[in-house]
């Protein structure tokens, strides 16, 4: 921004390298503070002010600056360099003692929370006492004496909690603020955000030290956040908030409700005109939606920072296609700027408003979606309730970065304060969470665990519904219906129809382009004709995995149980004969649904513990009968003996897959007969699942017996990591993720450094022997965006996923081509 001539307060940057060194060693890199002093001396020359000099003071902000935008996740300290002596001088120089002491109060507040780690709630208690004693309701109403009293009370609380005197040297303030920003890279909220956004944990953050400009200096001063387009809907036009007589954190904190950017333009047309030109310049430079923080000091505009703006899924698709039409980006670039995760969000349901509803409040529609859940007022409690399977709506006066754990867990967020650019709004949009902010008609009492809306009181635990597109809050659970995007994807709404929205048209345009450029075929995992039909409607080009064991769950479970527990081969053959017509009918239904598209059928692969009665349950039943002297039937005794004989300590590694087929060969013969009779074609390819590490590393030997390989990455991941998904996801895996020992759940996204090497080995070995062999993936990773890019790069032929992930896989397969440079527009 400096290079293109924008009014940016001067400053300098400490690099991420310094942060990484500090976090790894625990000490500041040698010579860093000498460099900071030298850079500060240059800043003093530029500004004509001196850091720490009460007669001509230079104040600075100390901010984070990571490689990837993480809004609100790390720390900032404003007004560094102010002391009581500097505040007295500022009062004289500005002619406004309230401005000077409010600036001092704000520094003590931010330093205490950020550097000394004073719990914000403790400072808020102090504020309530001081405000009450001075007979006012807000800090903005305090006089100079009140601000001094409040600042002194902050300092006493700081000293009480740290056990140390509050430092008075501004150079120490600067050093400690830098270190606090470094430390904030590993704060809980930053780790949660990185894990959600899959940002590497070893990048570290830069520190930006920038001379202060003051939005709280006068009535014609203020601070704001502006977006060059609406980040919630994608609509064209400037969008944002402005707070008069405020500093930067006030807007995002949501403590006061700001005025809109259009109202700011009406009141300050000259400054708004400058801002409007700046916004156009920045969007033209970045060729994308820009998020801009600015301050007005006595009528002069200053641009503090800019970044490519976070946006909702709807905005992402609409803005991408708008920029194509404006000639700013190509359609390949537009496709790259959307994602499968965003498309998935657009498939979420919406409220059905054709039925009676009880509207209780209206706020600012901050992040679209339809969320229903129990009211919860505490972030930690929201997290615990969600972990126990409950759907919750987090209700707060305003959110802060410390609320992130609850925001991630909640279905939606409702606040009584804040605007479209408040912390709650920005973070919710980035996460695809429903949010309604600035709902001033409700009064939130977080201590009493209730909020009021008019004459209605809503207590914690009651159900509410919030609509992030309209800003409406409803009492009770409002039914939901399919979104317009889902209706389009399922063929119930044409993108060419007059009723199709701009969003549907944008999705259709980019998904059609993705289909035209992708190399990977997209198939579906489907075990029933109904699933197969749904998959075809959603664009699947075949079935990549038909799990025949799923056909014998539910009422048919008894067939597998009888087969495994059969006393002899004759009984087994009888059970198999009963299974064959059922199996043939299943195959006929699926083949008809797929209308000639390829169907990959996996022969029976039952984990026995899923089909047999639990041994512990049978043992207890037998013991109880013996203790009570009851007679045990011959059948129950036979079942107990068989289950006891076949019990496996680890069914994952037991009698399943081809092992069962070898022990009971008639079983697989029956399935092949059923398949041949259903398809009437005896010339179909025969392949193998690659689900064990040994299969992967001996692929060059297996390939001689197979026409294709299908990688079962779920089991391959379990066997490579040597743990069971069912066990670890509820025990130690969450702790591994909390400590960032692993960057993400390896069952959600492929472990490229481990499991990926096995896939690469198998692909290389197989194609060296048989270059034209078909290779595909049928685990859940087949629908994961990051994994799809890896599979595309690996040269696989297809991915297979659940039917509802098919559109996501189609989009990501296209994105994989354009982002890896494999397609030239």
């Amino acid at each position: 921004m400096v290079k293109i001539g924008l009014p940016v307060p001067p400053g300098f940057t400490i690099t991420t390298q310094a942060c990484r060194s500090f976090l790894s060693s625990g000490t500041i890199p040698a010579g860093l503070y000498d460099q900071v002093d030298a850079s500060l001396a240059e800043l003093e020359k530029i500004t004509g002010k001196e850091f720490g000099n009460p007669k001509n003071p230079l104040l600075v902000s100390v901010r984070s600056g990571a490689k990837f935008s993480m809004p609100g996740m790390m720390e900032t300290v404003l007004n560094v360099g102010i002391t009581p002596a500097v505040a007295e001088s500022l009062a004289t120089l500005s002619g406004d003692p309230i401005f000077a002491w409010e600036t001092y109060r704000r520094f003590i507040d931010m330093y205490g929370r950020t550097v000394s780690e004073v719990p914000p709630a403790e400072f808020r208690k102090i504020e309530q006492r001081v405000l009450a004693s001075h007979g006012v309701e807000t800090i903005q109403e305090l006089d100079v004496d009140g601000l001094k009293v409040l600042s002194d009370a902050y300092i006493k609380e700081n000293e009480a909690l740290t056990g140390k005197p509050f430092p008075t040297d501004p150079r120490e303030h600067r050093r400690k603020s830098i270190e606090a920003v470094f430390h904030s890279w590993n704060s809980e909220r930053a780790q949660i955000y990185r894990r959600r956004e899959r940002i590497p944990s070893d990048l570290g953050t830069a520190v930006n030290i920038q001379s202060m400009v003051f939005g709280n200096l006068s009535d014609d001063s203020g601070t704001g956040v502006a977006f060059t387009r609406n980040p919630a809907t994608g609509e064209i036009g400037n969008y944002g908030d402005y707070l008069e007589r405020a500093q930067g954190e006030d807007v995002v904190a949501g403590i006061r409700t700001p005025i809109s950017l259009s109202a700011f333009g009406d009141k300050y047309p000259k400054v708004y005109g400058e801002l409007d030109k700046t916004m156009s310049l920045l969007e033209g430079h970045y060729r994308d939606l820009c998020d801009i923080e600015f301050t007005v000091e006595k009528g002069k505009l200053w641009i503090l920072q800019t970044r490519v703006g976070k946006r909702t899924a709807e905005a992402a698709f609409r803005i991408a296609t708008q920029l194509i039409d404006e000639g700013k980006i190509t359609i390949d670039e537009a496709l790259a700027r959307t994602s499968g995760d965003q498309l998935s969000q657009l498939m979420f349901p919406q409220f059905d408003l054709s039925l009676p509803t009880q509207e209780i409040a209206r706020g600012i529609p901050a992040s679209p979606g339809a969320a229903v859940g129990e009211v919860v007022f505490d972030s930690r409690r929201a997290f615990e309730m969600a972990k126990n399977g409950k759907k919750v709506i987090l209700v707060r006066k305003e959110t802060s970065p410390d609320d992130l754990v609850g925001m991630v867990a909640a279905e939606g967020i409702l606040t009584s304060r804040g605007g479209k650019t408040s912390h709650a709004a920005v973070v919710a949009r980035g996460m695809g969470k429903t949010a309604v902010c600035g709902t001033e008609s409700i009064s939130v009492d977080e201590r009493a665990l209730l909020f009021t809306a008019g004459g209605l009181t809503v207590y914690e635990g009651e159900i509410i519904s919030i609509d992030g597109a309209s800003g409406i809050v409803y009492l009770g659970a409002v039914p939901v219906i399919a979104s317009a995007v889902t209706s389009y994807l399922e063929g119930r709404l044409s993108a060419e129809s007059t009723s199709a929205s701009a969003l549907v048209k944008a999705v259709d345009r980019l998904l059609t382009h993705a289909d035209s450029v992708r190399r990977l075929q997209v198939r579906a995992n489907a075990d029933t004709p109904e699933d197969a039909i749904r998959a075809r409607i959603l664009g699947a080009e075949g079935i990549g995995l038909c799990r025949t064991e799923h056909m014998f769950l539910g009422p048919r479970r008894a067939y597998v149980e009888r087969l495994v527990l059969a006393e002899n081969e004759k009984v087994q053959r009888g059970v198999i004969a009963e299974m064959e017509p059922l199996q043939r009918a299943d195959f006929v239904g699926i083949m008809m649904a797929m209308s000639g598209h390829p169907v990959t059928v996996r022969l029976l692969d039952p984990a026995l513990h899923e089909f047999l009665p639990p041994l512990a349950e049978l043992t207890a039943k037998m013991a109880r009968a013996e203790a009570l002297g009851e007679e045990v039937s011959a059948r129950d005794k036979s079942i107990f003996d068989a289950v006891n004989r076949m019990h496996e300590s680890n069914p994952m590694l037991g009698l399943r897959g081809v092992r069962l087929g070898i022990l009971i060969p008639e079983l697989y013969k029956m399935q092949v007969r059923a398949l041949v009779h259903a398809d009437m074609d005896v010339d179909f390819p025969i392949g193998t699942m690659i689900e064990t590490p040994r299969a992967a590393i001996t692929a060059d030997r297996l390939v001689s017996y197979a026409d294709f390989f299908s990688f079962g990455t779920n089991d391959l991941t379990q066997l490579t990591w040597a743990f069971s998904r069912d066990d670890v996801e509820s025990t130690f895996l969450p702790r591994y993720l909390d400590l960032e020992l692993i960057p993400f759940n390896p069952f959600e996204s492929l472990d490229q450094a481990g499991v990926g090497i096995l896939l690469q080995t198998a692909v290389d070995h197989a194609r060296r022997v048989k270059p034209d062999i078909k290779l595909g993936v049928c685990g859940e990773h087949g629908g994961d965006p990051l994994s799809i890019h890896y599979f595309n790069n690996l040269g696989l032929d297809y991915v297979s996923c659940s039917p509802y992930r098919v559109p996501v896989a189609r989009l990501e397969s296209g994105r994989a081509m354009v982002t890896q440079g494999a397609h030239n527009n």
Side-chain angles (χ1 to χ4, degrees):
M1 292 194 296
V2 171
K3 288 179 179 177
I4 59 177
L6 294 182
V8 180
F12 58 91
T13 299
I14 301 170
T15 69
T16 55
Q17 181 181 355
C19 176
R20 291 193 296 270
S21 174
F22 174 76
L23 294 177
S24 63
S25 68
T27 59
I28 287 292
L32 176 62
Y33 284 139
D34 292 337
Q35 294 179 30
V36 170
D37 289 340
S39 297
L40 194 63
E42 288 296 315
L43 188 56
E44 290 173 333
K45 289 180 183 178
I46 294 170
T47 60
K49 299 176 181 180
E50 186 177 348
F51 187 82
N53 182 353
K55 295 181 180 179
N56 186 27
L58 170 65
L59 304 188
V60 298
S61 62
V62 180
R63 303 170 179 266
S64 63
K67 177 179 180 179
F68 298 104
S69 177
M70 296 171 59
M73 296 305 113
M74 289 175 289
E75 300 294 3
T76 293
V77 184
L78 302 180
N79 308 326
V80 178
I82 197 167
T83 63
V86 169
E88 293 287 3
S89 176
L90 274 182
T92 302
L93 292 170
S94 67
D96 187 346
I98 288 181
F99 153 70
W101 287 101
E102 160 59 13
T103 301
Y104 177 70
R105 178 209 68 82
R106 188 183 297 270
F107 166 71
I108 301 300
D109 179 11
M110 297 185 79
Y111 187 91
R113 289 184 285 113
T114 300
V115 177
S116 302
E117 299 182 345
V118 177
E122 298 304 315
F123 277 174
R124 302 295 84 85
K125 291 176 187 176
I126 292 170
E127 289 165 10
Q128 294 304 313
R129 291 199 301 268
V130 173
L131 293 175
S133 68
H134 283 73
V136 296
E137 294 185 358
T138 66
I139 292 174
Q140 288 72 32
E141 298 173 87
L142 288 173
D143 58 16
V144 170
D145 287 339
L147 290 168
K148 289 181 178 180
V149 168
L150 182 53
S151 300
D152 288 343
Y154 285 159
I155 289 173
K156 288 178 182 176
E157 181 68 19
N158 193 310
E159 292 176 337
L161 287 175
T162 63
K164 299 176 183 178
F166 190 85
T168 57
D169 184 349
R171 290 170 298 182
E172 183 175 354
H173 294 163
R174 188 182 70 222
R175 289 195 299 270
K176 294 293 186 182
S177 296
I178 291 170
E179 292 172 21
V181 173
F182 283 160
H183 278 300
S184 71
W185 174 256
N186 282 332
S187 67
E188 180 185 45
R189 63 177 181 262
Q191 291 182 43
I192 292 171
Y193 188 86
R194 285 201 299 272
R195 191 158 66 242
R196 182 182 178 87
E197 299 296 318
R198 294 181 178 176
I199 296 172
S201 62
D202 58 355
L203 297 177
T205 180
V207 177
N208 296 311
I209 296 179
Q210 194 170 27
S211 56
M212 286 295 304
V213 288
F214 299 100
N216 59 337
L217 180 56
S218 57
D219 289 338
D220 59 349
S221 301
T223 189
V225 177
F227 293 86
T228 55
R229 300 176 193 238
N230 189 320
T233 65
E235 291 178 14
I236 296 173
N238 294 346
Y239 175 100
D241 294 323
Y242 180 78
L243 263 181
E244 296 173 308
R245 277 202 97 119
Q247 285 195 297
E249 69 160 355
D250 294 337
V251 179
V252 294
I255 296 170
R256 293 161 54 195
T257 300
I259 63 174
S260 69
L261 211 57
S262 59
F264 167 68
D266 293 339
K267 195 168 184 178
Y268 305 100
K270 181 177 180 295
V271 180
Y272 178 80
E274 295 174 18
L275 177 63
D276 185 57
K277 289 179 183 177
T278 298
M279 294 170 74
S280 297
L281 182 66
L282 288 172
E283 182 174 276
H285 175 75
Y286 286 103
R287 301 179 305 131
D288 204 350
L289 163 71
C290 287
D291 170 354
I292 302 162
E293 294 185 20
F294 66 96
T295 287
V296 178
E297 183 183 86
K298 285 193 171 182
K300 177 174 173 55
L301 175 68
W302 292 94
I303 307 299
L304 305 183
Q305 66 175 7
T306 190
R307 58 191 166 212
V308 171
K310 296 290 183 182
R311 68 206 71 184
T312 64
E314 177 179 354
F317 277 85
R318 290 187 62 186
I319 290 172
T321 52
Q322 289 163 10
L323 292 173
I324 299 171
D325 295 335
E326 294 168 17
K328 293 180 178 176
I329 63 175
T330 67
I331 193 168
D332 278 1
E333 290 175 299
L335 177 58
R337 290 184 183 185
T338 59
S339 73
D341 285 337
Q342 290 168 336
L343 180 58
S344 180
Q345 290 171 23
L346 294 175
M347 296 169 69
F348 292 166
Q350 300 172 337
F351 287 137
D352 181 2
L353 300 180
S354 64
L355 301 173
T357 58
Q358 184 179 353
E359 177 182 331
I360 59 174
R362 285 189 181 229
I364 296 170
S367 184
V372 180
E374 294 183 30
V375 171
V376 181
F377 295 92
D378 178 79
S379 288
R380 284 287 169 190
R381 200 156 52 249
F383 171 76
E384 292 298 331
M385 290 176 67
K387 190 168 70 172
N388 291 326
K390 292 192 174 182
K391 294 184 176 181
V392 299
I393 304 292
L394 180 63
V395 181
R396 305 281 286 164
K397 290 179 181 177
E398 68 272 338
T399 65
S400 72
D402 292 328
D403 288 311
L404 186 65
V405 64
M407 296 174 75
V408 170
E411 299 294 308
I413 299 124
L414 172 65
T415 69
S416 59
R417 300 174 181 168
K420 298 171 184 175
T421 58
S422 64
H423 174 268
V426 172
V427 173
R429 281 196 295 270
M431 296 191 301
K433 292 281 184 181
T434 301
V436 175
C437 299
T439 316
E440 295 181 335
S441 60
I442 71 171
S443 178
V444 177
D445 189 333
E446 293 163 355
R447 290 187 178 180
L449 304 181
L450 60 85
F451 74 83
T452 57
L456 178 71
T457 300
V458 179
Y459 296 94
E460 179 159 300
E462 291 192 58
I463 303 278
I464 63 170
S465 304
I466 62 172
D467 188 335
S470 66
I472 299 176
V473 182
Y474 302 95
L475 186 65
V478 177
V480 294
I481 55 175
S483 72
V485 170
T486 298
S487 296
Y488 151 71
L489 291 170
E490 292 182 343
R492 291 180 280 112
L493 173 66
S494 168
E496 305 304 320
S497 70
T498 55
S499 61
S501 64
L503 171 61
V504 168
K505 293 178 186 295
V507 171
D508 173 72
R509 187 175 181 182
L510 294 180
L511 191 55
T512 299
H513 183 63
D515 285 336
S516 73
V517 300
R518 64 183 168 88
R519 184 188 56 77
L520 281 172
Q521 282 195 321
V522 177
R523 301 181 184 178
N525 301 339
D527 313 317
T528 66
E530 294 76 19
D531 281 348
I533 292 170
R534 185 177 297 112
R536 281 290 299 126
I537 292 172
L538 291 168
E541 297 158 303
I543 292 179
L545 176 63
C546 175
R547 294 158 290 202
T548 54
E549 66 273 8
H550 285 194
M551 297 172 175
F552 290 95
L553 291 172
R556 295 185 182 180
R557 181 188 300 269
Y559 286 104
V560 177
E561 180 180 310
R562 288 167 54 205
L563 178 69
V564 174
L565 300 180
E567 299 171 358
N568 54 55
E569 190 175 324
K570 181 180 179 181
V571 175
Q572 281 184 347
R573 287 178 179 271
V575 175
I576 289 171
E578 293 178 48
M579 295 170 69
E580 186 166 346
L582 299 174
Q583 187 79 101
R584 183 166 57 250
D586 291 332
F587 291 152
V588 167
I590 290 174
M591 298 297 181
M592 290 179 64
M594 293 313 292
S595 306
H597 288 82
V599 176
T600 303
V601 175
R602 182 173 74 186
L603 302 184
L604 266 171
D605 179 24
L608 294 186
H609 68 293
E610 295 177 2
F611 289 89
L612 300 179
L615 177 61
E617 181 182 302
L618 293 176
T619 301
K621 183 178 180 181
M622 298 294 287
R624 185 167 54 251
E626 183 178 348
L628 296 176
E630 297 175 350
E631 185 177 350
V632 178
S633 68
R635 179 181 180 278
D636 286 349
K637 181 70 166 62
S638 173
I639 291 175
F640 174 73
D641 289 342
V643 171
N644 196 39
R645 182 178 70 252
M646 303 189 72
H647 173 70
E648 297 173 326
S649 298
N650 188 343
M652 260 297 300
L653 306 178
L655 180 59
R656 58 182 305 183
V658 69
R659 297 164 187 166
L660 185 64
I662 290 171
L663 289 187
I664 312 176
E666 290 302 318
L667 178 61
Y668 280 4
K669 290 180 182 179
M670 175 276 290
Q671 289 193 287
V672 172
R673 282 196 305 272
L675 192 54
V676 169
H677 290 152
D679 193 43
M680 296 302 177
D681 182 0
V682 294
D683 185 23
F684 48 72
I686 297 175
T688 182
M689 299 287 294
I690 302 292
E691 296 187 290
T692 68
R694 189 177 192 279
I697 61 178
T698 60
D700 53 343
R701 298 174 63 188
L702 290 174
V703 74
S704 300
Y705 303 92
D707 297 309
F708 65 90
F709 284 168
S710 180
F711 293 98
T713 53
N714 295 346
D715 280 0
L716 191 56
T717 296
Q718 294 192 90
L719 293 171
T720 301
W721 281 83
F723 53 45
S724 167
R725 176 177 189 171
D726 293 341
D727 295 330
V728 302
E729 287 193 320
S730 61
T731 53
F732 64 81
L733 188 57
R735 182 61 174 158
Y736 272 52
L737 294 169
D738 288 343
L739 295 174
E740 296 187 280
L741 297 176
I742 54 177
F744 48 77
N745 184 332
F747 294 108
E748 294 176 358
S749 194
L750 188 80
D751 164 30
Q752 297 178 19
V755 179
I757 298 299
L758 289 174
L759 264 68
Q760 179 74 67
T761 299
V763 169
D764 291 346
H765 286 187
R767 288 212 162 126
R768 188 166 58 240
V769 178
K770 190 181 290 185
D772 60 348
I773 187 171
K774 282 275 188 180
L775 302 173
V777 164
C778 64
E780 286 185 34
H781 299 108
D784 169 63
L786 279 181
S787 303
I788 288 170
H789 286 244
Y790 181 78
F791 299 144
N792 182 76
N793 196 43
L794 200 57
L796 301 188
D797 297 297
Y798 68 87
V799 293
S800 187
C801 55
S802 67
Y804 281 110
R805 296 293 289 179
V806 165
V808 172
R810 289 165 55 199
L811 187 82
E812 285 296 345
S813 296
R815 289 186 71 241
M817 294 297 285
V818 300
T819 57
Q820 292 175 4
H823 172 73
N824 295 316
N825 186 8

